[in-house]
Amino acid sequence: MSSISSPANPNETLLKQHAAREKWVLLGLSAPALILVLIVMVLPVGWLFYLSFIGSEGTVSMENYARMLESKSYGRIFVTTFKVSVLTTAICIAIGYPLAYFLSQLPSRAANICMLAVLLPFWTSLLVRTYAWLVLLQRKGLINTWGIEAGLWSEPIALVHNLTGTLIGMVHIMLPFLVLPLYSSMKAIDPDYLKAASNLGAKPSQSFWQVFFPLSLPGLFAGSLIVFVLCLGFFVTPAVLGGGKIIMVSNQITNNIELFFNWGAASALGVVLLVVTLVILYVASKLLPLDNVMGGGH
Amino acid sequence: MSQTGALPISISQVTKRYGDVYALDNVDLEVKRGEFLTLLGPSGSGKTTLLMALAGFTRPDHGSIRFGDNEIILTPPHKRDVGMVFQSYALFPHMDVAANVGFPLKLRKVGKPEIAERVNEALETVQLAGYGERRINQLSGGQKQRVALARAIVFSPRILLMDEPLSALDKKLREHMQIELRHLHEKLGMTTVYVTHDQREALTMSDRIAVINHGRLMQLDTPRAIYDRPANRFVADFIGESTFLELDTKNGQLSFGGNVIKAPGWSGDTGKPALILRPERLVITSRTAGKAMNLFTATVRELVYQGDTSLMYAGLADGTEVTVRAGTRTGAAIENISIGDDITLGLHPDDTVVIDEAGEELAS
Ligand SMILES: Nc1ncnc2c1ncn2[C@@H]1O[C@H](COP(=O)(O)OP(=O)(O)O)[C@@H](O)[C@H]1O
Ligand SMILES: [Mg+2]
């Protein structure tokens, strides 16, 4: 061996071989994960993609996509989906930002206890929580009973089986997804920045709007994006609290399969939803400082 | 940015407790108009707490702080009009350099053209002309430090506070910045309170040094006086290296091991007198040559060559180990000594400083 390597670069070949071997070992170690991703992600999505191009005759066709363009009801479904998602995200921001700000200003013990309250719903079944809202919001539910007894209103208000009920339920479920990243990005803001702002002459409100708020934006964008994307594909809450009036893409997918046994149409909807979501994520990652969501670090 | 705006600071009986810990314990301190005063003390001694009390971020339990004639103890930070350089620099990462430096001017509703002009001027002052458009994360540590400084002086505050501003820099840059900050202070003339735990930095930069320990003022004086005439054991120990020799008193005379110690600076108070031996003030001499000095016989225990100087560890008759530092010029006495030699060490009477070990606190 020593005769091969030139005396000016001792061990050069050996070191190169060593580096190459290391590369193969690393590849071997990550193989199980790659195979798992292939089985649980790539194959099903590929299958879905394939199904979406199979028409009712069992042949390859574009009819599933063509129907989406022709039928007005599909347009309505997409509009509803976006409307519900945008409204839910907006309401989550309106409630979640002050909440996260409040938590971030608490001493850490108190903050941890409050955080537990925010997280608690996470550990309860989604379905149970949604039905609980049904109990609270229906015509003879707790809220209407109390409201009428207290004389706040005289006729039961329609709080459920409509957009209102859907939004209430979805905001409740989505709130932690907004608060968590927002809170952690607020906690990461060095208190010295606010001291510096104040030292330089900023009133508390100026410190907040000119320093704290801009620095919390990445967390806000991250949380909002997560909420929005989760909303796009949400199923249970609109199904239970929307009372059949709020039909989102995922509800239509279920209808297609359960009522019409039309796998092709359902798959096409799934593909469109997936593509729309990816496009939104891509555009957002280009436009917004999304280091936190995309795992880009600092 | 002129001297006329500088304000004196008057701190009296300021106390701040955290649980059982006194971060500040009845501190009285006068900072003169336009003075560069350094708070020097070990970590946890209360330096930051005092600075934060001046800036308005720490509310003392009691006491009074006046800027000029105005009591400001209840004034919120944003109305105190003091410049501050944070240890972390605290530069806003979402703004570029110019926006950071212009921030205090924008808050003061200065017009845009004037902001641009003053920002450029401030950046020039800290030798960062042309860096206005840089993002904060594109700057090196030294540059961040300068931007933080520019932001703190751009609105011509009458008082400038700095909390260990150079501690994140490497040694060379730090020493360079010490001189630069000193020049800047001479040019701008703001009353400056500077915090450091680095004694050499304090000695280099300050008009006066306030040494604090456990939230108490141990000594307040010029760098030379602090080094040459430490008021107590803590100051002597913290600033420079010192060995302490307990002395005997008889008829108002000091002695060590039977030999009279000549100490012109000794006030003659009763108490527990101790002699401070600084390594560089001790000289290697002989009984005859050093007749005018206080002499000690010692045995050489160890020699350490350190390039510019050599260190010698020697044992006195009573067993105390003293350190001698001497230059390594060719032919210097220390170059001709070996371990085990018996030698004579001399201490000039003017370098002979005696403290009272019984009194820890600054007599004021
Ligand atoms: N917010 C605080 N809560 C509790 N103790 C504190 C707080 N700030 C400072 N201390 C204590 O007060 C003392 C002085 O702290 P500090 O002023 O930061 O010291 P230095 O700046 O000289 O290192 C230390 O013992 C420190 O632990
Ligand atoms: Mg400190």
Side-chain angles (χ1 to χ4, degrees):
Chain A
M1 269 290 171
S2 58
S3 61
I4 299 172
S5 63
S6 86
N9 304 326
N11 289 332
E12 191 183 13
T13 359
L14 281 178
L15 286 167
K16 267 190 189 141
Q17 285 169 357
H18 202 259
R21 209 172 317 129
E22 206 164 81
K23 221 182 273 172
W24 280 110
V25 169
L26 283 180
L27 200 66
L29 286 173
S30 52
L34 289 176
I35 291 169
L36 197 68
V37 168
L38 188 74
I39 293 174
V40 305
M41 299 273 304
V42 178
L43 290 184
V45 171
W47 184 241
L48 193 78
F49 202 70
Y50 163 77
L51 279 181
S52 73
F53 289 101
I54 302 298
S56 48
E57 311 291 304
T59 54
V60 175
S61 93
M62 291 296 290
E63 66 179 79
N64 294 319
Y65 292 97
R67 196 182 316 116
M68 257 186 262
L69 289 177
E70 285 156 15
S71 157
K72 271 227 173 83
S73 71
Y74 276 95
R76 250 198 330 270
I77 286 166
F78 276 101
V79 169
T80 306
T81 305
F82 273 89
K83 190 165 89 182
V84 169
S85 302
V86 167
L87 285 174
T88 305
T89 310
I91 298 169
C92 277
I93 291 172
I95 300 174
Y97 195 94
L99 178 61
Y101 179 71
F102 170 71
L103 288 174
S104 74
Q105 300 303 302
L106 287 178
S108 63
R109 265 181 74 100
N112 285 340
I113 292 170
C114 291
M115 199 41 122
L116 212 65
V118 173
L119 287 176
L120 210 58
F122 258 156
W123 299 321
T124 332
S125 147
L126 188 88
L127 210 57
V128 169
R129 280 187 283 155
T130 306
Y131 276 108
W133 275 116
L134 196 60
V135 173
L136 287 175
L137 296 174
Q138 63 195 330
R139 279 180 69 82
K140 296 205 170 140
L142 211 55
I143 290 175
N144 267 322
T145 318
W146 283 358
I148 291 168
E149 262 176 31
L152 294 175
W153 58 88
S154 51
E155 286 291 300
I157 307 177
L159 290 170
V160 80
H161 301 311
N162 57 15
L163 184 64
T164 315
T166 307
L167 287 179
I168 291 174
M170 291 202 30
V171 166
H172 173 228
I173 283 153
M174 292 301 171
L175 201 55
F177 293 102
L178 182 94
V179 169
L180 281 179
L182 190 53
Y183 172 78
S184 78
S185 87
M186 285 177 174
K187 281 308 258 191
I189 297 175
D190 187 342
D192 273 2
Y193 292 143
L194 300 171
K195 281 190 187 157
S198 173
N199 168 258
L200 294 168
K203 286 181 281 198
S205 63
Q206 291 172 315
S207 290
F208 177 82
W209 286 112
Q210 299 189 31
V211 177
F212 188 90
F213 183 71
L215 291 176
S216 70
L217 281 181
L220 183 63
F221 289 145
S224 307
L225 194 64
I226 292 170
V227 169
F228 185 72
V229 166
L230 284 177
C231 283
L232 286 180
F234 217 63
F235 169 71
V236 172
T237 307
V240 174
L241 298 177
K245 296 198 194 85
I246 304 297
I247 299 169
M248 291 175 60
V249 174
S250 45
N251 304 104
Q252 184 59 28
I253 292 175
T254 321
N255 290 345
N256 277 334
I257 291 171
E258 292 193 339
L259 301 179
F260 312 119
F261 301 102
N262 192 340
W263 280 86
S267 302
L269 266 176
V271 168
V272 171
L273 187 59
L274 183 68
V275 169
V276 168
T277 307
L278 289 179
V279 167
I280 288 172
L281 279 176
Y282 177 78
V283 172
S285 75
K286 289 287 156 203
L287 295 181
L288 306 174
L290 282 178
D291 290 355
N292 304 8
V293 202
M294 303 301 175
H298 283 269
Chain B
M1 291 196 193
S2 69
Q3 189 132 11
T4 50
L7 279 181
I9 304 172
S10 166
I11 299 164
S12 84
Q13 292 179 48
V14 170
T15 294
K16 177 68 184 175
R17 262 177 57 174
Y18 289 110
D20 289 340
V21 180
Y22 278 89
L24 294 175
D25 191 354
N26 262 310
V27 174
D28 290 311
L29 185 61
E30 302 280 334
V31 188
K32 295 177 197 160
R33 184 187 300 274
E35 177 177 41
F36 195 116
L37 182 126
T38 298
L39 301 176
L40 175 66
S43 175
S45 56
K47 308 179 296 288
T48 298
T49 308
L50 184 53
L51 207 71
M52 288 299 170
L54 292 177
F57 297 114
T58 295
R59 183 184 290 118
D61 300 332
H62 61 75
S64 153
I65 300 176
R66 277 178 297 142
F67 292 168
D69 294 328
N70 297 324
E71 175 64 60
I72 50 91
I73 198 105
L74 293 171
T75 309
H78 67 274
K79 291 191 183 148
R80 291 201 181 188
D81 211 31
V82 297
M84 176 142 184
V85 178
F86 289 76
Q87 191 170 1
S88 63
Y89 309 140
L91 297 173
F92 306 128
H94 60 296
M95 301 181 192
D96 64 12
V97 168
N100 264 282
V101 178
F103 187 73
L105 299 176
K106 198 174 120 203
L107 291 170
R108 284 165 178 75
K109 307 229 159 29
V110 176
K112 269 202 176 131
E114 192 187 338
I115 290 185
E117 194 180 313
R118 284 171 72 178
V119 165
N120 283 339
E121 195 185 324
L123 286 177
E124 245 164 61
T125 307
V126 298
Q127 298 175 16
L128 279 183
Y131 277 70
E133 316 231 299
R134 294 282 183 99
R135 301 221 52 98
I136 297 306
N137 59 13
Q138 293 171 332
L139 301 177
S140 71
Q143 290 168 339
K144 282 184 190 158
Q145 211 281 320
R146 285 158 198 266
V147 175
L149 189 62
R151 193 178 64 175
I153 61 174
V154 72
F155 58 106
S156 307
R158 299 157 304 172
I159 289 168
L160 182 60
L161 309 175
M162 292 190 252
D163 191 357
E164 312 214 11
L166 306 181
S167 62
L169 308 182
D170 63 53
K171 186 163 175 287
K172 266 232 169 79
L173 189 55
R174 199 162 63 227
E175 284 170 358
H176 176 71
M177 283 304 295
Q178 287 170 2
I179 305 293
E180 235 177 74
L181 280 178
R182 193 57 244 197
H183 286 325
L184 194 70
H185 174 256
E186 277 155 21
K187 185 170 151 205
L188 303 179
M190 296 162 185
T191 306
T192 302
V193 181
Y194 187 93
V195 164
T196 183
H197 64 265
D198 179 343
Q199 40 144 327
R200 190 169 291 276
E201 189 165 297
L203 293 170
T204 305
M205 302 181 72
S206 322
D207 292 325
R208 288 194 302 163
I209 299 175
V211 183
I212 52 177
N213 189 32
H214 295 311
R216 283 182 313 200
L217 188 61
M218 305 306 286
Q219 188 169 5
L220 172 63
D221 221 324
T222 61
R224 190 168 282 277
I226 292 263
Y227 189 83
D228 286 347
R229 302 272 157 214
N232 48 49
R233 181 159 185 155
F234 175 80
V235 175
D237 214 13
F238 187 67
I239 296 165
E241 292 167 73
S242 304
T243 310
F244 298 90
L245 292 186
E246 279 185 30
L247 302 182
D248 302 317
T249 35
K250 206 183 266 175
N251 310 329
Q253 268 204 329
L254 296 165
S255 62
F256 176 73
N259 298 322
V260 171
I261 298 288
K262 290 165 279 209
W266 171 238
S267 58
D269 292 356
T270 48
K272 251 179 91 191
L275 175 62
I276 300 168
L277 293 178
R278 302 263 200 212
E280 79 287 352
R281 299 283 160 99
L282 281 168
V283 293
I284 299 160
T285 181
S286 66
R287 290 257 149 221
T288 46
K291 223 181 301 181
M293 294 198 265
N294 293 312
L295 298 177
F296 306 87
T297 43
T299 310
V300 179
R301 290 184 182 164
E302 187 132 31
L303 286 163
V304 182
Y305 177 74
Q306 292 187 327
D308 54 345
T309 54
S310 279
L311 276 183
M312 176 178 75
Y313 299 93
L316 299 185
D318 71 337
T320 312
E321 184 167 272
V322 297
T323 316
V324 180
R325 183 182 288 281
T328 48
R329 239 173 300 116
T330 311
I334 201 164
E335 303 286 273
N336 306 317
I337 282 172
S338 326
I339 292 173
D341 287 358
D342 286 325
I343 52 165
T344 303
L345 296 175
L347 182 67
H348 197 279
D350 289 344
D351 289 333
T352 304
V353 181
V354 176
I355 54 163
D356 179 5
E357 286 225 78
E360 263 289 288
E361 274 211 61
L362 171 68
S364 55

